[in-house]
Amino acid sequence: MEHPLIRDLRQAGYRLTPQREAVIAVLGETHAHLTAPEILRRAQEHIPHLNKSAVYRALDVLTHLSLVNPIDLGKGEIQYELNCLPHHHHLVCQQCGKITDVGESVFGELEKILRTQYGFAPFLYHFAIFGICRACQPKVRRTRVSLVLARCAQIEQPLARRATRKRARPR
Amino acid sequence: MEHPLIRDLRQAGYRLTPQREAVIAVLGETHAHLTAPEILRRAQEHIPHLNKSAVYRALDVLTHLSLVNPIDLGKGEIQYELNCLPHHHHLVCQQCGKITDVGESVFGELEKILRTQYGFAPFLYHFAIFGICRACQPKVRRTRVSLVLARCAQIEQPLARRATRKRARPR
DNA sequence: TTCCTTATTGCAACTAGTTGCATCAAGGAA
DNA sequence: TTCCTTGATGCAACTAGTTGCAATAAGGAA
Ligand SMILES: [Mn+2]
Ligand SMILES: [Mn+2]
Ligand SMILES: [Zn+2]
Ligand SMILES: [Zn+2]
C-alpha cells in the first residue's frame, strides 16, 4: 500500500515523480534534521543525476503541505524533517548552544489566545526558541543593552563563528 | 552624544568601524524590514565601495547582541530590523498572505512556562507565526493530511511562487 | 493501450550568503 | 602623539538557493 505522505501529495493534486519519491524516502529513512544539500546527496543514491532544483522544489511543496518542517536552529543552515506527531520544539541556548527538547503543550495558551482573540489558526509544528539556559544565566553579564532590558539579559560574547576564526589564526 | 546602539556595541567589546556605523545608520533611518542586499545597497550610499561581507558580518554581530532582529516572513528572504520596544510579532496567513501584527503579550504564558518549568530565559523579540486567518478558514479544504490532523487544517493550494510560474506561461 | 494536457524536471545563469587569508585600522597604552 | 595588538575588512573563491524556459513525463481520458 501507499506511503501516507504520497497519498497526501496526490490528494493535494500534485504528481508523484521519482524525484519527489526519492526526497520523501530520504526523509523517511531518518528522524534526524537534514539540510537540503544533505538530502540532495542522499537522494542521488536513488537517482544519480537528480538535480538540486528538483530537491528544493520538492521540499517547498512538502513544506507547504505541512508534510515537512523546515528548521532553523541558528546554525546558519535550514534543516528539514518529516512533520510527525507528537510535535516537539527546541530551546536553544545562545550562550552554550545546548538544545533542550520540549513538548507541544508549551504553546497551549498561545494557541488559545490566537484562536479566540484573533480567529487565527496557527501551525505550531516545530519551533526553535532562542534564549539562555539555566546553567548559563549566571555567566551572562548583566549588561544593559539599549532598549532591550532586564527581562532579556544580553549576550556579550562574540559569535561562535567569529570566535572560531579568531582561535584558528592567532597570528 | 553617542547613538545607544554604538554604545552597546562598544560595551560588548566590539570596535566601531565606518562599515558598522553605515549599517546601523541604514537600519535607523527606517522602521521597515530590510533584506541584506537592500541594506548593502543603501549603506553603499554612505560608503561607496562597502563590501557585502562586512554587511553580513555586521548584521551577525548586531543580531547576536540582540540589537537587530532577523525576520523570516516566509517570503524566502530574511529581513532585518532594529530591535525596538515594545516588541511585536506577525501572524502570517499561508492561504492569502495577510499579515497581522500582534503585541508581545501573546507570549506571556509561554515565557512564564519556560522560565518556571525549564529555567530557560527566552528571547521573544520578533516572531512570525504561520497559520490560517479567520477569513480563509472556510476556504481551506478539510483534507486529512497524514499525521497532521483536524487541529491543523491543511493547505491544499500550490505555492505562491509555483502558481506564479504557472500563470506566467500557460503554453 | 494510446493520446493529450499540463505539471514537473533539467539546465544554465543568476543572486544570496560564507569563508580563509592577507592587509588594514580601531582604539588602548605609553 | 605614536606605537602596538588584534579585531575587522576586502577580496576571491566558494557553497547555497532561485528562476525562466524548453523538454519531458505523470496521470487522466478515451
Ligand atoms: Mn526537531
Ligand atoms: Mn516586524
Ligand atoms: Zn547555555
Ligand atoms: Zn488568509
Side-chain angles (χ1 to χ4, degrees):
Chain A
M1 64 143 285
E2 207 173 37
H3 187 120
L5 295 201
I6 291 174
R7 178 176 50 76
D8 293 339
L9 191 75
R10 283 214 161 94
Q11 197 164 321
Y14 290 99
R15 293 178 184 175
L16 179 65
T17 62
Q19 292 85 348
R20 285 173 178 167
E21 214 168 0
V23 168
I24 291 170
V26 166
L27 288 169
E29 281 162 12
T30 176
H31 276 203
H33 299 167
L34 298 176
T35 65
E38 275 165 1
I39 293 167
L40 172 62
R41 216 173 309 114
R42 295 189 188 199
Q44 282 177 336
E45 292 169 15
H46 297 90
I47 304 179
H49 298 309
L50 176 61
N51 190 275
K52 65 176 175 175
S53 299
V55 171
Y56 282 107
R57 294 196 270 228
L59 289 171
D60 277 351
V61 168
L62 295 170
T63 297
H64 281 251
L65 289 174
S66 296
L67 302 178
V68 159
N69 293 323
I71 311 160
D72 179 357
L73 292 179
K75 296 194 201 305
E77 59 189 17
I78 304 294
Q79 301 175 317
Y80 297 87
E81 68 172 11
L82 290 187
N83 186 4
C84 296
L85 290 177
H87 294 136
H88 67 278
H89 311 280
H90 299 280
L91 307 181
V92 184
C93 178
Q94 299 283 56
Q95 181 71 12
C96 69
K98 189 177 114 184
I99 295 178
T100 305
D101 290 7
V102 300
E104 54 187 352
S105 65
V106 295
F107 282 123
E109 197 62 27
L110 173 67
E111 180 166 8
K112 203 179 297 171
I113 290 172
L114 295 181
R115 284 187 179 277
T116 60
Q117 289 182 26
Y118 296 88
F120 188 83
F123 301 155
L124 301 172
Y125 301 141
H126 193 273
F127 268 80
I129 301 172
F130 301 100
I132 302 291
C133 79
R134 193 199 305 272
C136 288
Q137 282 168 34
K139 283 182 277 176
V140 175
R141 194 171 61 184
R142 221 139 295 286
T143 311
R144 279 184 56 251
V145 175
S146 66
L147 296 166
V148 184
L149 326 184
R151 176 165 52 94
C152 319
Q154 289 309 306
I155 316 157
E156 75 202 88
Q157 179 163 299
L159 320 183
R161 173 146 47 91
R162 307 183 69 75
T164 305
R165 222 158 38 97
K166 242 182 303 175
R167 273 184 240 112
R169 205 183 51 80
R171 189 181 2 174
Chain B
M1 67 142 283
E2 209 175 35
H3 188 121
L5 295 202
I6 291 175
R7 178 176 49 78
D8 293 339
L9 191 74
R10 284 213 161 96
Q11 197 163 323
Y14 290 99
R15 294 179 183 174
L16 177 64
T17 63
Q19 292 85 348
R20 286 173 178 169
E21 213 167 1
V23 169
I24 291 171
V26 165
L27 289 169
E29 281 162 10
T30 177
H31 277 204
H33 299 168
L34 298 175
T35 64
E38 275 164 2
I39 293 167
L40 172 62
R41 216 174 309 115
R42 295 189 189 198
Q44 282 176 335
E45 291 168 17
H46 296 90
I47 303 179
H49 299 310
L50 176 60
N51 190 274
K52 67 176 175 177
S53 299
V55 170
Y56 282 107
R57 295 196 270 227
L59 289 171
D60 277 352
V61 168
L62 294 169
T63 298
H64 280 252
L65 289 173
S66 296
L67 302 178
V68 159
N69 293 324
I71 311 160
D72 180 355
L73 292 178
K75 297 195 202 303
E77 58 188 19
I78 304 294
Q79 300 175 318
Y80 297 87
E81 69 172 11
L82 289 187
N83 186 4
C84 295
L85 291 178
H87 293 135
H88 67 279
H89 311 280
H90 300 280
L91 307 180
V92 184
C93 178
Q94 299 283 58
Q95 180 74 11
C96 69
K98 189 176 113 185
I99 296 178
T100 305
D101 290 6
V102 300
E104 54 187 351
S105 65
V106 296
F107 282 123
E109 198 63 27
L110 173 67
E111 179 167 6
K112 202 180 297 173
I113 291 172
L114 295 181
R115 284 187 178 277
T116 59
Q117 288 182 27
Y118 296 88
F120 188 82
F123 300 155
L124 301 171
Y125 301 141
H126 193 275
F127 267 80
I129 301 173
F130 301 100
I132 303 290
C133 78
R134 192 197 307 273
C136 288
Q137 281 168 35
K139 284 181 275 176
V140 175
R141 194 170 62 183
R142 223 140 292 285
T143 311
R144 279 185 54 251
V145 175
S146 67
L147 296 167
V148 184
L149 325 184
R151 178 163 51 92
C152 318
Q154 286 311 307
I155 316 157
E156 76 203 270
Q157 178 163 303
L159 319 184
R161 172 144 49 88
R162 309 183 67 75
T164 305
R165 222 158 39 95
K166 242 182 305 178
R167 273 183 242 113
R169 206 183 50 81
R171 203 218 302 209

